[in-house]
Amino acid sequence: MTGKLKGKVALITGGSSGIGFDAARAMIAEGAFVYITGRRENTLIEAEKALGNQAVYVQADVGIKSDMQRVAARIAADFGHLDIIFANAGIGSYISLRDMTEADIDKTLNANVKGTIFTVQTALPLLSDGASIILNTSITANLGLPNFSLYAASKAAVRSFIYSWTQDLKKQKIRVNAISPGIVPTAAATGELGRSQEEERLRQQWRAKLTPLGRVGDVKDISQAVVFLASDDSSFITGIELTVDGGLSAIFANKL
């Protein structure tokens, strides 16, 4: 590795598994010290062990502002500043418009929209000039997928933040970008969407055939792009949504 994040302090929400965990691994490999958050302490403990002494977990629910204030206080006590935020935590499930309940709406928007706001808002006093904020959106925000409107709408809201926050934070030269993953199978996603492992395997085989690059994504595809947006390699990039989906949304949006 090149050490392109050497000396940087990063916060990754939803960092105990999947994309968040691999982003933490990739940032550490480039020299960063990483704080990971999540709701399940047992998973966080295992993730911290696997990541080594350049990672620390703080149990927190991104949808609860006091939890994220506690995370910021821990970082402030340890380092006094923060260089990178990857607001990655989120949830999603298939649910039709007819069946959608108030509880469903609150659960999704609390995690995906409020959680993104609280993550960035509580950490703002710690952000150094030139810091990098990366939000996790989704290609589904641009697609008309059946029974997925609530999740898609929440990610469209998150995408909108990059434009206004780029303006809000320009005096500090804080860059705000989004990473928009395509199909990236993870254990958490499979469980949330209610499919069995076999159903998921068959679904991904079908989607791989549709994708111009001939495969579905891997968490490493996303984490490498996140490191790019976190590093000085992207120092003249702000206010963008970087789509990492093998060309799927651009070419086959009407076949998903």
Side-chain angles (χ1 to χ4, degrees):
M1 295 298 178
T2 61
K4 61 181 64 179
L5 299 180
K6 186 176 181 180
K8 302 291 187 181
V9 181
L11 168 63
I12 300 176
T13 60
S16 63
S17 63
I19 290 172
F21 176 82
D22 202 70
R25 177 204 57 76
M27 287 189 192
I28 290 168
E30 293 292 350
F33 188 96
V34 179
Y35 288 84
I36 59 172
T37 75
R39 291 175 295 171
R40 296 182 294 275
E41 188 165 28
N42 59 331
T43 308
L44 286 164
I45 290 170
E46 291 304 312
E48 184 185 83
K49 289 179 181 177
L51 292 170
N53 60 12
Q54 285 295 105
V56 167
Y57 83 83
V58 183
Q59 185 180 18
D61 184 332
V62 292
I64 300 173
K65 188 172 183 177
S66 59
D67 276 17
M68 297 314 295
Q69 288 173 326
R70 180 165 45 80
V71 173
R74 172 65 188 273
I75 298 171
D78 291 348
F79 286 96
H81 74 280
L82 185 62
D83 303 295
I84 301 161
I85 297 174
F86 180 29
N88 165 71
I91 61 172
S93 60
Y94 285 115
I95 184 167
S96 71
L97 174 60
R98 294 182 184 277
D99 295 333
M100 202 180 295
T101 67
E102 186 173 358
D104 294 325
I105 296 168
D106 288 343
K107 181 179 180 181
T108 300
L109 297 186
N110 281 348
N112 297 358
V113 181
K114 284 175 62 176
T116 299
I117 294 171
F118 292 158
T119 297
V120 175
Q121 185 185 58
T122 57
L124 272 181
L126 297 174
L127 290 180
S128 53
D129 287 0
S132 175
I133 298 172
I134 305 152
L135 311 182
N136 192 341
T137 57
S138 170
I139 63 170
T140 62
N142 299 310
L143 305 178
L145 300 182
N147 302 321
F148 217 39
S149 62
L150 181 55
Y151 177 80
S154 72
K155 290 299 186 177
V158 172
R159 179 182 61 201
S160 74
F161 294 151
I162 64 175
Y163 310 124
S164 52
W165 291 355
T166 292
Q167 289 285 79
D168 291 341
L169 303 175
K170 65 182 180 182
K171 287 185 179 180
Q172 289 178 262
K173 295 182 173 56
I174 293 174
R175 298 183 297 111
V176 186
N177 295 295
I179 193 81
S180 181
I183 306 303
V184 182
T186 64
T190 300
E192 283 180 359
L193 298 178
R195 292 193 287 263
S196 68
Q197 289 186 349
E198 179 61 14
E199 288 172 328
E200 187 70 12
R201 185 183 68 81
L202 293 173
R203 178 66 63 93
Q204 303 318 335
Q205 281 185 346
W206 172 63
R207 285 173 167 167
K209 292 178 182 178
L210 294 178
T211 303
L213 293 185
R215 65 175 177 87
V216 296
D218 183 87
V219 290
K220 289 182 174 57
D221 297 317
I222 310 304
S223 60
Q224 289 169 355
V226 169
V227 166
F228 167 71
L229 291 176
S231 74
D232 289 342
D233 288 346
S234 60
S235 62
F236 199 55
I237 297 175
T238 191
I240 71 155
E241 182 181 44
L242 178 59
T243 300
V244 186
D245 71 346
L248 183 62
S249 58
I251 308 300
F252 289 105
N254 63 334
K255 296 185 179 181
L256 288 174

